Amino acid sequence: VLLDHVAGVVVMGALCLMPVTVMDGVHNHNTVSLLHTEVLHSNVSWLMGSPAGLKANPFLSQTLGLVFRAAIELWDQNVSTGLTSLEPYIVTAVGMIGGLLGCTFGISLVSDVLQLMSIHVELFYVALLPPINKVLAVIWTMWRLLRGKKRNLLRGGRLDTLE
């Protein structure tokens, strides 16, 4: 427990004395740039095309792509822009709390803050899950039909084939 508090005080000193340097290091790291809105915007544009040659429903992908582009732009204009000016204060607050309550508490607090900052990606995942599951079910059904192993329950359980 003592080592946890000592490490927390050391981390607090680093975060409270150099919050701008810490944020520059975080912004220049490759993992954080994957959540940046420009990368998300380019990924949505790629998915609106023909990703890997798979085009299950072009109208659905165009509509969802436009909705997600608008949501990304709203997130960028309202949330990301507003939090950019508050980043040094957030880093200082996390450092102070981590110093007072221990390093493990500070690490868990950083994890929670990162999860809150990436909630828009989680919402995109939750919104896309049902349509993707339906598309995968249709692809699986077509695969069974082409293999000749699709049971038709409406016709007495006979096997349907492509022929």
Coordinates of all heavy atoms in Angstrom, one line a residue, residues 19-96:
P19 N 1.6 19.0 -17.5 CA 0.4 18.5 -18.2 C 0.4 18.7 -19.7 O -0.1 17.8 -20.4 CB -0.8 19.2 -17.5 CG -0.2 20.5 -17.0 CD 1.2 20.1 -16.6
V20 N 1.0 19.8 -20.2 CA 1.0 20.0 -21.6 C 1.9 19.0 -22.3 O 1.6 18.5 -23.4 CB 1.4 21.5 -21.9 CG1 1.5 21.7 -23.4 CG2 0.4 22.4 -21.3
T21 N 3.1 18.7 -21.7 CA 4.0 17.8 -22.2 C 3.4 16.4 -22.3 O 3.6 15.6 -23.2 CB 5.3 17.8 -21.4 OG1 5.8 19.1 -21.2 CG2 6.4 16.9 -22.0
V22 N 2.7 16.0 -21.2 CA 2.0 14.7 -21.2 C 1.0 14.6 -22.3 O 0.9 13.6 -23.0 CB 1.4 14.5 -19.8 CG1 0.5 13.2 -19.8 CG2 2.5 14.4 -18.7
M23 N 0.2 15.7 -22.5 CA -0.8 15.6 -23.5 C -0.2 15.6 -24.9 O -0.8 15.0 -25.8 CB -1.8 16.8 -23.4 CG -2.7 16.7 -22.2 SD -3.6 15.1 -22.0 CE -4.4 15.0 -23.6
D24 N 0.9 16.3 -25.1 CA 1.6 16.2 -26.4 C 2.0 14.8 -26.7 O 1.9 14.3 -27.8 CB 2.7 17.2 -26.5 CG 2.3 18.6 -26.6 OD1 1.1 18.9 -27.0 OD2 3.1 19.5 -26.3
G25 N 2.5 14.1 -25.7 CA 3.0 12.7 -25.8 C 1.8 11.8 -26.1 O 1.9 10.9 -26.9
V26 N 0.7 12.1 -25.5 CA -0.5 11.2 -25.7 C -1.1 11.5 -27.1 O -1.4 10.5 -27.8 CB -1.6 11.5 -24.7 CG1 -2.9 10.9 -25.1 CG2 -1.2 11.0 -23.3
H27 N -1.1 12.7 -27.6 CA -1.6 13.0 -28.9 C -0.7 12.5 -30.0 O -1.2 12.2 -31.1 CB -1.8 14.6 -29.1 CG -3.0 15.1 -28.4 ND1 -4.3 14.8 -28.8 CD2 -3.1 15.9 -27.3 CE1 -5.1 15.4 -28.0 NE2 -4.4 16.1 -27.1
N28 N 0.6 12.4 -29.8 CA 1.5 11.9 -30.8 C 1.6 10.4 -30.8 O 2.2 9.8 -31.7 CB 2.9 12.5 -30.6 CG 2.9 14.0 -30.9 OD1 2.1 14.5 -31.6 ND2 3.8 14.7 -30.2
H29 N 1.0 9.7 -29.9 CA 1.0 8.2 -29.8 C 0.1 7.6 -30.9 O -1.0 8.2 -31.1 CB 0.6 7.7 -28.4 CG 1.1 6.3 -28.2 ND1 0.3 5.3 -28.5 CD2 2.2 5.8 -27.7 CE1 0.9 4.2 -28.2 NE2 2.0 4.5 -27.7
N30 N 0.5 6.6 -31.5 CA -0.3 6.0 -32.6 C -1.7 5.4 -32.2 O -2.6 5.5 -32.9 CB 0.5 4.9 -33.3 CG 1.6 5.5 -34.2 OD1 1.5 6.6 -34.6 ND2 2.6 4.7 -34.4
T31 N -1.7 4.9 -31.0 CA -2.9 4.2 -30.5 C -4.1 5.2 -30.3 O -5.2 5.0 -30.7 CB -2.7 3.5 -29.2 OG1 -1.5 2.8 -29.3 CG2 -3.8 2.5 -28.9
V32 N -3.7 6.4 -29.8 CA -4.7 7.4 -29.6 C -5.2 8.0 -30.9 O -6.4 8.4 -31.0 CB -4.2 8.5 -28.6 CG1 -5.2 9.6 -28.4 CG2 -3.8 7.9 -27.3
S33 N -4.4 8.1 -31.9 CA -4.8 8.7 -33.2 C -5.8 7.8 -33.9 O -6.5 8.3 -34.8 CB -3.5 8.9 -34.1 OG -3.0 7.6 -34.4
L34 N -5.9 6.5 -33.5 CA -7.0 5.7 -34.1 C -8.4 6.1 -33.7 O -9.3 5.8 -34.5 CB -6.8 4.2 -33.7 CG -5.5 3.5 -34.3 CD1 -5.4 2.1 -33.7 CD2 -5.6 3.5 -35.8
L35 N -8.5 6.8 -32.6 CA -9.8 7.3 -32.2 C -10.1 8.7 -32.7 O -11.2 9.2 -32.4 CB -9.9 7.2 -30.7 CG -9.9 5.8 -30.1 CD1 -9.9 5.9 -28.6 CD2 -11.0 5.0 -30.6
H36 N -9.2 9.3 -33.4 CA -9.4 10.7 -33.8 C -10.5 10.7 -34.9 O -10.7 9.7 -35.7 CB -8.1 11.2 -34.4 CG -8.1 12.7 -34.5 ND1 -8.6 13.4 -35.6 CD2 -7.7 13.6 -33.6 CE1 -8.5 14.7 -35.4 NE2 -7.9 14.9 -34.2
T37 N -11.2 11.8 -34.9 CA -12.4 11.8 -35.8 C -12.1 11.8 -37.3 O -12.9 11.3 -38.1 CB -13.2 13.1 -35.5 OG1 -12.3 14.2 -35.7 CG2 -13.8 13.1 -34.1
E38 N -10.9 12.2 -37.7 CA -10.5 12.1 -39.1 C -10.3 10.7 -39.5 O -10.7 10.3 -40.6 CB -9.2 12.9 -39.4 CG -9.4 14.4 -39.2 CD -8.1 15.2 -39.2 OE1 -7.0 14.5 -39.3 OE2 -8.1 16.4 -39.0
V39 N -9.7 9.9 -38.7 CA -9.5 8.5 -39.0 C -10.9 7.8 -39.0 O -11.2 7.0 -39.9 CB -8.6 7.8 -37.9 CG1 -8.5 6.3 -38.2 CG2 -7.3 8.5 -37.9
L40 N -11.8 8.1 -38.1 CA -13.1 7.5 -38.1 C -13.9 7.9 -39.4 O -14.6 7.1 -40.0 CB -13.9 7.9 -36.8 CG -13.4 7.4 -35.5 CD1 -14.2 8.0 -34.4 CD2 -13.5 5.9 -35.5
H41 N -13.7 9.2 -39.8 CA -14.4 9.6 -41.0 C -13.9 8.9 -42.2 O -14.7 8.5 -43.1 CB -14.2 11.1 -41.1 CG -15.1 11.8 -42.0 ND1 -15.0 11.8 -43.4 CD2 -16.3 12.5 -41.7 CE1 -16.0 12.5 -43.9 NE2 -16.8 12.9 -42.9
S42 N -12.6 8.7 -42.3 CA -12.1 8.0 -43.5 C -12.5 6.5 -43.5 O -12.8 5.9 -44.5 CB -10.6 8.1 -43.5 OG -10.0 7.4 -42.5
N43 N -12.6 5.9 -42.3 CA -13.0 4.5 -42.2 C -14.5 4.3 -42.6 O -14.9 3.4 -43.2 CB -12.8 3.9 -40.8 CG -11.4 3.7 -40.5 OD1 -10.5 3.6 -41.4 ND2 -11.0 3.6 -39.2
V44 N -15.3 5.3 -42.2 CA -16.7 5.3 -42.6 C -16.9 5.4 -44.1 O -17.7 4.8 -44.7 CB -17.5 6.3 -41.8 CG1 -18.9 6.5 -42.4 CG2 -17.7 5.9 -40.3
S45 N -16.1 6.3 -44.6 CA -16.1 6.5 -46.1 C -15.7 5.2 -46.8 O -16.2 4.9 -47.8 CB -15.2 7.6 -46.5 OG -15.6 8.8 -46.0
W46 N -14.7 4.5 -46.3 CA -14.2 3.3 -46.9 C -15.4 2.2 -46.8 O -15.6 1.5 -47.7 CB -13.0 2.7 -46.2 CG -12.5 1.4 -46.7 CD1 -11.9 1.2 -47.9 CD2 -12.6 0.2 -46.0 NE1 -11.7 -0.2 -48.0 CE2 -12.1 -0.8 -46.8 CE3 -13.1 -0.2 -44.8 CZ2 -12.0 -2.1 -46.5 CZ3 -13.0 -1.5 -44.4 CH2 -12.5 -2.5 -45.3
L47 N -16.1 2.2 -45.7 CA -17.2 1.2 -45.5 C -18.3 1.5 -46.4 O -19.1 0.6 -46.7 CB -17.6 1.1 -44.0 CG -16.6 0.4 -43.1 CD1 -17.1 0.6 -41.7 CD2 -16.5 -1.0 -43.5
M48 N -18.5 2.8 -46.8 CA -19.6 3.2 -47.7 C -19.3 2.7 -49.1 O -20.3 2.5 -49.9 CB -19.8 4.7 -47.6 CG -20.4 5.2 -46.4 SD -20.5 7.0 -46.3 CE -21.6 7.4 -47.6
G49 N -18.1 2.4 -49.4 CA -17.7 1.9 -50.7 C -18.0 0.4 -50.8 O -19.0 -0.1 -50.2
S50 N -17.1 -0.3 -51.4 CA -17.1 -1.8 -51.4 C -16.0 -2.3 -50.7 O -14.9 -2.7 -51.3 CB -17.1 -2.3 -52.9 OG -18.3 -1.9 -53.5
P51 N -16.1 -2.5 -49.3 CA -14.9 -3.0 -48.6 C -14.7 -4.4 -48.8 O -15.6 -5.3 -48.7 CB -15.3 -2.7 -47.1 CG -16.8 -2.7 -47.2 CD -17.2 -2.1 -48.5
A52 N -13.5 -4.7 -49.3 CA -13.1 -6.1 -49.6 C -14.0 -6.8 -50.6 O -14.1 -8.0 -50.6 CB -13.0 -6.9 -48.3
G53 N -14.7 -6.0 -51.5 CA -15.5 -6.6 -52.5 C -16.9 -7.0 -52.0 O -17.7 -7.5 -52.8
L54 N -17.2 -6.8 -50.7 CA -18.4 -7.3 -50.2 C -19.4 -6.1 -50.1 O -19.2 -5.1 -49.6 CB -18.2 -7.8 -48.7 CG -19.5 -8.3 -48.0 CD1 -20.0 -9.5 -48.7 CD2 -19.1 -8.6 -46.6
K55 N -20.5 -6.3 -50.8 CA -21.6 -5.3 -50.8 C -22.9 -6.0 -50.6 O -23.5 -6.4 -51.6 CB -21.5 -4.6 -52.2 CG -22.3 -3.3 -52.2 CD -22.1 -2.5 -51.0 CE -21.6 -1.1 -51.4 NZ -21.3 -0.3 -50.2
A56 N -23.3 -6.1 -49.4 CA -24.5 -6.8 -49.1 C -25.8 -5.9 -49.3 O -26.7 -6.4 -49.9 CB -24.5 -7.2 -47.6
N57 N -25.7 -4.7 -48.9 CA -26.9 -3.8 -49.1 C -26.4 -2.4 -49.3 O -26.1 -1.7 -48.3 CB -27.8 -3.9 -47.9 CG -29.1 -3.2 -48.1 OD1 -29.3 -2.3 -49.0 ND2 -30.1 -3.5 -47.3
P58 N -26.2 -1.9 -50.5 CA -25.6 -0.6 -50.8 C -26.4 0.6 -50.2 O -25.8 1.5 -49.7 CB -25.5 -0.5 -52.3 CG -26.3 -1.6 -52.8 CD -26.5 -2.6 -51.8
F59 N -27.7 0.5 -50.2 CA -28.6 1.6 -49.7 C -28.4 1.7 -48.2 O -28.4 2.8 -47.7 CB -30.0 1.4 -50.2 CG -30.2 1.4 -51.6 CD1 -30.6 0.2 -52.3 CD2 -29.9 2.5 -52.4 CE1 -30.7 0.2 -53.6 CE2 -30.1 2.5 -53.8 CZ -30.5 1.3 -54.4
L60 N -28.4 0.6 -47.5 CA -28.2 0.6 -46.1 C -26.9 1.2 -45.7 O -26.8 2.0 -44.8 CB -28.4 -0.8 -45.5 CG -28.2 -0.9 -44.0 CD1 -29.3 -0.2 -43.2 CD2 -28.2 -2.4 -43.6
S61 N -25.8 0.7 -46.4 CA -24.5 1.2 -46.1 C -24.3 2.7 -46.4 O -23.7 3.4 -45.6 CB -23.4 0.4 -46.8 OG -23.5 0.6 -48.2
Q62 N -25.0 3.2 -47.4 CA -24.9 4.6 -47.7 C -25.7 5.4 -46.6 O -25.2 6.5 -46.2 CB -25.5 4.9 -49.1 CG -24.7 4.5 -50.3 CD -23.4 5.2 -50.4 OE1 -23.3 6.4 -50.1 NE2 -22.3 4.5 -50.7
T63 N -26.8 5.0 -46.3 CA -27.6 5.7 -45.3 C -26.9 5.7 -43.9 O -26.8 6.7 -43.3 CB -29.0 5.0 -45.1 OG1 -29.6 5.0 -46.4 CG2 -29.9 5.8 -44.1
L64 N -26.4 4.5 -43.5 CA -25.7 4.4 -42.2 C -24.4 5.2 -42.3 O -24.1 5.9 -41.3 CB -25.4 3.0 -41.9 CG -26.6 2.1 -41.4 CD1 -26.1 0.7 -41.2 CD2 -27.2 2.7 -40.1
G65 N -23.7 5.2 -43.4 CA -22.5 6.0 -43.5 C -22.8 7.5 -43.4 O -22.0 8.2 -42.7
L66 N -23.9 8.0 -44.0 CA -24.2 9.4 -43.9 C -24.6 9.8 -42.4 O -24.2 10.8 -41.9 CB -25.3 9.8 -44.8 CG -25.0 9.7 -46.3 CD1 -26.2 10.0 -47.2 CD2 -23.9 10.7 -46.6
V67 N -25.3 8.9 -41.8 CA -25.7 9.1 -40.4 C -24.5 9.2 -39.5 O -24.3 10.0 -38.6 CB -26.7 8.1 -39.9 CG1 -26.9 8.1 -38.4 CG2 -28.0 8.2 -40.6
F68 N -23.5 8.2 -39.7 CA -22.4 8.2 -38.8 C -21.4 9.3 -39.1 O -20.7 9.8 -38.2 CB -21.6 6.8 -39.0 CG -22.4 5.7 -38.3 CD1 -22.5 4.5 -38.9 CD2 -22.9 5.9 -37.0 CE1 -23.2 3.5 -38.3 CE2 -23.6 4.9 -36.4 CZ -23.7 3.7 -37.0
R69 N -21.3 9.7 -40.4 CA -20.5 10.9 -40.7 C -21.0 12.1 -40.0 O -20.3 12.9 -39.4 CB -20.5 11.2 -42.2 CG -19.5 10.4 -43.0 CD -19.5 10.9 -44.4 NE -18.6 10.2 -45.2 CZ -18.5 10.4 -46.5 NH1 -19.4 11.2 -47.1 NH2 -17.6 9.7 -47.2
A70 N -22.4 12.3 -40.0 CA -23.0 13.4 -39.3 C -22.7 13.3 -37.8 O -22.4 14.4 -37.1 CB -24.5 13.5 -39.6
A71 N -22.8 12.1 -37.2 CA -22.5 12.0 -35.8 C -21.1 12.2 -35.5 O -20.8 12.9 -34.4 CB -22.9 10.5 -35.4
I72 N -20.2 11.8 -36.3 CA -18.7 12.1 -36.1 C -18.5 13.6 -36.1 O -17.7 14.2 -35.3 CB -17.9 11.4 -37.1 CG1 -17.9 9.9 -36.9 CG2 -16.4 11.9 -37.1 CD1 -17.3 9.0 -38.0
E73 N -19.1 14.3 -37.1 CA -18.9 15.7 -37.2 C -19.5 16.5 -36.0 O -18.9 17.4 -35.4 CB -19.5 16.3 -38.5 CG -18.8 15.9 -39.7 CD -19.5 16.3 -41.0 OE1 -20.4 17.1 -40.9 OE2 -19.0 15.8 -42.1
L74 N -20.7 16.0 -35.5 CA -21.2 16.6 -34.3 C -20.3 16.4 -33.1 O -20.1 17.3 -32.3 CB -22.6 16.0 -34.0 CG -23.7 16.6 -34.9 CD1 -25.0 15.8 -34.6 CD2 -24.0 18.1 -34.6
W75 N -19.8 15.2 -33.0 CA -18.9 14.8 -31.9 C -17.7 15.7 -31.9 O -17.2 16.2 -30.9 CB -18.5 13.4 -31.9 CG -17.6 13.0 -30.8 CD1 -16.2 12.9 -30.8 CD2 -18.0 12.5 -29.5 NE1 -15.8 12.5 -29.6 CE2 -16.8 12.3 -28.8 CE3 -19.2 12.3 -28.9 CZ2 -16.8 11.8 -27.5 CZ3 -19.2 11.9 -27.6 CH2 -18.0 11.6 -26.9
D76 N -17.1 15.9 -33.1 CA -15.9 16.7 -33.3 C -16.2 18.1 -33.0 O -15.3 18.8 -32.3 CB -15.4 16.5 -34.7 CG -14.0 17.2 -34.9 OD1 -13.2 17.1 -33.9 OD2 -13.7 17.7 -36.0
Q77 N -17.3 18.7 -33.4 CA -17.5 20.1 -33.2 C -17.9 20.4 -31.8 O -17.5 21.4 -31.3 CB -18.7 20.5 -34.1 CG -18.3 20.6 -35.6 CD -19.5 20.8 -36.5 OE1 -20.6 20.9 -36.0 NE2 -19.3 20.9 -37.8
N78 N -18.7 19.6 -31.2 CA -19.2 19.9 -29.8 C -18.3 19.3 -28.7 O -18.0 20.1 -27.8 CB -20.6 19.4 -29.7 CG -21.5 20.0 -30.6 OD1 -21.4 21.2 -31.0 ND2 -22.5 19.3 -31.1
V79 N -18.0 18.1 -28.7 CA -17.3 17.4 -27.6 C -15.8 17.6 -27.7 O -15.1 18.1 -26.8 CB -17.7 16.0 -27.5 CG1 -17.0 15.3 -26.3 CG2 -19.2 15.9 -27.3
S80 N -15.2 17.1 -28.8 CA -13.8 17.2 -29.0 C -13.2 18.6 -28.9 O -12.2 18.8 -28.2 CB -13.3 16.5 -30.3 OG -13.6 15.1 -30.3
T81 N -13.8 19.5 -29.5 CA -13.4 20.9 -29.5 C -13.5 21.5 -28.1 O -12.6 22.2 -27.7 CB -14.1 21.7 -30.5 OG1 -14.1 21.1 -31.8 CG2 -13.6 23.1 -30.7
G82 N -14.5 21.2 -27.4 CA -14.7 21.7 -26.1 C -13.8 21.1 -25.1 O -13.3 21.8 -24.2
L83 N -13.4 19.9 -25.2 CA -12.5 19.2 -24.3 C -11.1 19.5 -24.5 O -10.2 19.3 -23.7 CB -12.8 17.7 -24.3 CG -14.1 17.3 -23.6 CD1 -14.2 15.7 -23.7 CD2 -14.1 17.7 -22.1
T84 N -10.7 19.9 -25.7 CA -9.3 20.2 -26.0 C -8.7 21.3 -25.1 O -7.6 21.1 -24.7 CB -9.2 20.6 -27.5 OG1 -9.7 19.5 -28.3 CG2 -7.7 20.8 -27.9
S85 N -9.5 22.3 -24.9 CA -9.0 23.3 -24.0 C -9.0 22.9 -22.5 O -8.2 23.5 -21.7 CB -9.9 24.6 -24.1 OG -11.2 24.3 -23.7
L86 N -9.7 21.9 -22.2 CA -9.7 21.4 -20.8 C -8.8 20.3 -20.5 O -8.6 19.8 -19.4 CB -11.2 20.9 -20.4 CG -12.3 22.0 -20.5 CD1 -13.6 21.3 -20.2 CD2 -12.0 23.1 -19.5
E87 N -8.0 19.8 -21.5 CA -7.2 18.6 -21.3 C -6.1 18.9 -20.3 O -5.9 18.0 -19.4 CB -6.5 18.3 -22.7 CG -7.5 17.5 -23.6 CD -6.9 17.2 -24.9 OE1 -5.8 17.8 -25.2 OE2 -7.5 16.5 -25.7
P88 N -5.4 20.0 -20.2 CA -4.4 20.1 -19.1 C -5.0 20.1 -17.7 O -4.4 19.5 -16.8 CB -3.8 21.5 -19.4 CG -4.0 21.8 -20.8 CD -5.3 21.1 -21.2
Y89 N -6.2 20.6 -17.6 CA -6.9 20.6 -16.3 C -7.3 19.1 -15.9 O -7.3 18.7 -14.8 CB -8.1 21.5 -16.3 CG -7.7 22.9 -16.6 CD1 -8.2 23.5 -17.7 CD2 -6.9 23.7 -15.7 CE1 -7.8 24.8 -18.1 CE2 -6.6 25.0 -16.0 CZ -7.0 25.6 -17.2 OH -6.7 26.8 -17.5
I90 N -7.8 18.4 -16.9 CA -8.2 17.0 -16.7 C -6.9 16.2 -16.3 O -7.0 15.4 -15.3 CB -8.8 16.4 -17.9 CG1 -10.2 17.1 -18.2 CG2 -9.0 14.9 -17.8 CD1 -10.8 16.7 -19.5
V91 N -5.8 16.4 -17.0 CA -4.6 15.7 -16.6 C -4.1 16.0 -15.2 O -3.7 15.2 -14.4 CB -3.5 16.0 -17.6 CG1 -2.1 15.5 -17.2 CG2 -3.8 15.4 -19.0
T92 N -4.2 17.3 -14.9 CA -3.8 17.8 -13.5 C -4.7 17.2 -12.4 O -4.3 16.7 -11.4 CB -3.8 19.3 -13.4 OG1 -3.0 19.8 -14.4 CG2 -3.3 19.8 -12.1
A93 N -6.0 17.1 -12.7 CA -7.0 16.5 -11.8 C -6.7 15.0 -11.6 O -6.7 14.5 -10.4 CB -8.4 16.8 -12.2
V94 N -6.5 14.3 -12.7 CA -6.2 12.9 -12.6 C -4.9 12.7 -11.8 O -4.8 11.8 -11.0 CB -6.1 12.3 -14.0 CG1 -5.5 10.9 -13.9 CG2 -7.5 12.2 -14.6
G95 N -3.9 13.5 -12.0 CA -2.7 13.4 -11.3 C -2.8 13.7 -9.8 O -2.2 13.0 -9.0
M96 N -3.6 14.7 -9.5 CA -3.8 15.0 -8.0 C -4.6 13.9 -7.3 O -4.2 13.4 -6.2 CB -4.5 16.3 -7.9 CG -3.7 17.5 -8.3 SD -4.5 19.0 -8.2 CE -4.3 19.3 -6.5

